[in-house]
Amino acid sequence: MTDFEGRFERLERRVEQLETLLRQVLARMPGAPRVDAAPERPRARPVVAVEHQLDAAASAPPAAAAPPVHSLSMAAEREPSSETVEDHPKLDLEEWIGRRGLLIVGVVALLATGAFFLDYAFEHHWIPPLVRSVIAIGAGIGLAAWGHTLIQRDMRKYGGPVVGAGGGLIYLGIWAAAGPFALIDRRVGIIVLAITATAFALLAQRYEIEGLAISALIGAFGAPLALRTPTPNPQLFLGYTEVVGIGGAIVAYAMEWRRTMLIAALGYLGLAALILSLHDPSALVGGVGLSFLFVGVALGAEVSRRRRAWWETRIITAFGAWILLTAGMPDAKDATDAVRWPALGVMVLMSAVLFANLRDTEAFGKERAQRFDEALLYLVSPVVLLGFGLGFAPSILARHLAVIPAVIALPFLIDGWIHHRAHALMVGFALWAVAIGIQFDPVGAAVGWALLASAAAGAHVMGRRPGLQASAVGLYALGAGALLLYALPSRPSGTSAFTDAWAMGLWSVLAAGALVVWCWKADQGESVVPRQVVWWIGGATLLMGMSVNILAFFTGASGAASGSAVVSVWWMIYAAGLTAVYARRKYLALLPTGLAVYGVGLLSLFTYALVERVDLASAFFDPWALSLYAALVIAVLMASWFVGDEQREGEARHAIWWAFGAALLVGGSVNIQRYFARPSGSTLAGDLALSVWWLVFAAGAVAIGFRRDQKVVRSAGLAVALIATGKVLLYDLSQLEALYRIGAFFVLAAITLGVAYAYHKQENVEMQGVEKPNVEKQGA
């Protein structure tokens, strides 16, 4: 073969390779034309034919440029060799069971066989301890070597679990030698286990087979469960678990194997939980146990910080360590300071690790995706530390428990202030609120929370940090609510109503609220809302607190009847104050609030206070009657403050006048009946007076309706007149004596004639007003 023919053959092979690669690339592209395989060309061609083809190629027009060879090669490396490959291959259940399911069953059965054999042999003394351990280790090495051979033969999915099974047997033999058989020192056993775990971790990392790592972990965690020791050694058990768990976690982190990390975390804490069922659960609060729990939390927190998607690792390690540490503690009455101090210190360290990992969390941001796991741990961590500290406080702290939440709050407050983190500041102030609640009595706690709210408001003025306003509002609401709900039931009776401890607490809470509002007086925009909320909380506290003080005062002086009536008047005075502020400042929310408070006060006067009214008291000058007069005066004042032409003010004025009229009619009727119901009174005279009062009221309403040109008022007067007429005709006519009957009918006649005269006179005036323009028009 000539040199020219050899070069041509090489060129031909390259072209065929390019065609093959081009077909593979086009097969991956949607809508690309199908390229059929070219027929195989003979390897050797005559020189004349070659020259003829070269001449034809030279005379042909230039073809489109082919893609570069290196680009096609890279595409061929990325794409599978088959022409059609599904993006998500369908799961073949039969294939999965045959290849993986049965493999898993076989590996587990093999490990169980070895474990049961060793356990049974140990019980019946068939094989010397040394031989048992050597058999387990030798069998494990043999399995691992066989699995290594299978992996080299491209049977990775089968060989990996086999290597893992061998690792489990090796763990089992070493554990037996260092544990129940006591063939080697326990510390040496831990070192050997660590070396073995490292070896299998390197194998799993080298082969990049997650199944190998999972198998090794399951075997390592299952070894001490299958071969229990007659005399438990919790320290050795924890040391073994720590070595295996940390080794598996390191491999899982390096290879980004999430399932392996989950198994490592569950096995790490699951085996530690077995200590609770042993005879010495206090091992968890010993030196080895405390270091074990701390390392687990630190490792889980760091892994989740670097692999944010692995949130379950941090949750499992944190909650597991908290539960195990608390469960391992002896009873509070039996725990000594030698146990309390180290346990509390480790709990502080675990909380510090979580705080350091979570203080930059974006879980509380408004613009980013919420991370529930980070928010949960950030909020729960200080609560768990607080509960553990209060439950197992050393003797020196037991006398000053408020120090515990106060100290826990410091890092949150400092971090929130420096880095402008609202959630940190809110957690810190919440912990300080707990400290105040622990340190002081109910009244003192309420005052302390209100003062802490004013401190938060002042800090917001100085630093403008987010979260301070929300903290101030929440703390002030807590203080006001605690004063009325928590401190009031314990208020002693018989003390001065306005100057005792509870009353002084009320004045202090109100003063703190005024200080908060004063600090925020220059705020504008969204900052106005917190100030208004504090105003409303303070206003409600003033209303309820004064009501309580009034009842306490009159209960000790003039009785409950006077107190109830005065409380009703106080509510109406308060409503008048709200209405006055609205008339001056035009705060829309104050108008309906004032009307509602006045309505509640008036309703209370005619229900609760009327029921408690003393029977033998003066009908027109007792506390209830005086309260009625005060209610009428207050209504007149409130109506006089609405001088604008706005629709809402006109409706409010009408509502107040209707309430005034109803109170006057019903209150006057109650007083008249009460006056004539006394032993020296007359029932007949009372009936006559009541009819007269209704008729007089009706006449007055009609007169006012004509004067103000209010048809609805005149209609109300006519309705009352009809009711009075019905009473006179149906009741007074049959019950009254002759003289009283004459008087009743005389008053009825006089008033009805007067009302009729007023209507006819108004009709003439209207007719004259209509006729006068007509006359002027005719004259013109």
Side-chain angles (χ1 to χ4, degrees), residues 80 84-93 95-96 100 157:
T84 57
V85 179
E86 297 181 359
D87 295 335
H88 300 284
K90 185 178 180 180
L91 176 64
D92 190 342
L93 183 60
E95 181 181 353
W96 188 93
R100 297 188 180 182
K157 295 183 179 180

Side-chain angles (χ1 to χ4, degrees), residues 461-517:
V461 173
M462 292 186 297
R464 297 292 174 179
R465 297 300 194 271
L468 287 177
Q469 282 191 322
S471 299
V473 173
L475 289 170
Y476 188 71
L478 178 63
L483 184 69
L484 297 172
L485 302 176
Y486 175 50
L488 183 59
S490 60
R491 184 181 190 181
S493 59
T495 58
S496 178
F498 295 96
T499 56
D500 64 345
W502 192 90
M504 298 306 296
L506 173 64
W507 313 137
S508 300
V509 170
L510 294 175
L515 181 60
V516 172
V517 173

Side-chain angles (χ1 to χ4, degrees), residues 264 551 600 620 662 668 777:
L551 290 175
V600 172
F620 294 99
K777 184 177 180 180

Side-chain angles (χ1 to χ4, degrees), residues 426-670:
M426 295 172 71
V427 171
F429 275 104
L431 291 170
W432 270 1
V434 173
I436 291 174
I438 294 174
Q439 185 66 30
F440 299 101
D441 61 354
V443 176
V447 175
W449 291 330
L451 293 177
L452 187 61
S454 62
H460 176 263
V461 173
M462 292 186 297
R464 297 292 174 179
R465 297 300 194 271
L468 287 177
Q469 282 191 322
S471 299
V473 173
L475 289 170
Y476 188 71
L478 178 63
L483 184 69
L484 297 172
L485 302 176
Y486 175 50
L488 183 59
S490 60
R491 184 181 190 181
S493 59
T495 58
S496 178
F498 295 96
T499 56
D500 64 345
W502 192 90
M504 298 306 296
L506 173 64
W507 313 137
S508 300
V509 170
L510 294 175
L515 181 60
V516 172
V517 173
W518 180 81
C519 290
W520 295 342
K521 63 180 181 180
D523 289 353
Q524 301 294 332
E526 296 182 357
S527 299
V528 175
V529 176
R531 184 175 69 231
Q532 293 177 348
V533 173
V534 174
W535 264 118
W536 284 101
I537 296 174
T541 304
L542 174 62
L543 178 63
M544 302 304 298
M546 281 296 299
S547 302
V548 170
N549 285 339
I550 291 172
L551 290 175
F553 176 81
F554 281 97
T555 299
S558 302
S562 301
S564 301
V566 175
V567 166
S568 301
V569 175
W570 157 243
W571 279 61
M572 289 182 278
I573 292 174
Y574 189 86
L578 294 179
T579 307
V581 174
Y582 165 78
R584 183 176 181 180
R585 300 291 185 180
K586 299 300 181 181
Y587 296 147
L588 299 181
L590 293 180
L591 178 58
T593 305
L595 296 177
V597 172
Y598 181 85
V600 172
L602 193 62
L603 182 63
S604 174
L605 181 65
F606 282 95
T607 54
Y608 182 68
L610 184 59
V611 172
E612 293 188 349
R613 189 178 187 183
V614 179
D615 294 336
L616 300 178
S618 175
F620 294 99
F621 299 101
D622 66 337
W624 192 91
L626 295 176
S627 300
L628 174 64
Y629 306 149
L632 297 176
V633 173
I634 292 171
V636 174
L637 290 176
M638 291 175 62
S640 65
W641 289 328
F642 297 115
V643 295
D645 296 332
E646 296 184 4
Q647 181 180 359
R648 71 171 65 91
E649 294 187 3
E651 294 175 352
R653 184 166 56 247
H654 292 160
I656 293 174
W657 280 120
W658 279 103
F660 172 87
L664 179 61
L665 176 63
V666 178
S669 302
V670 169

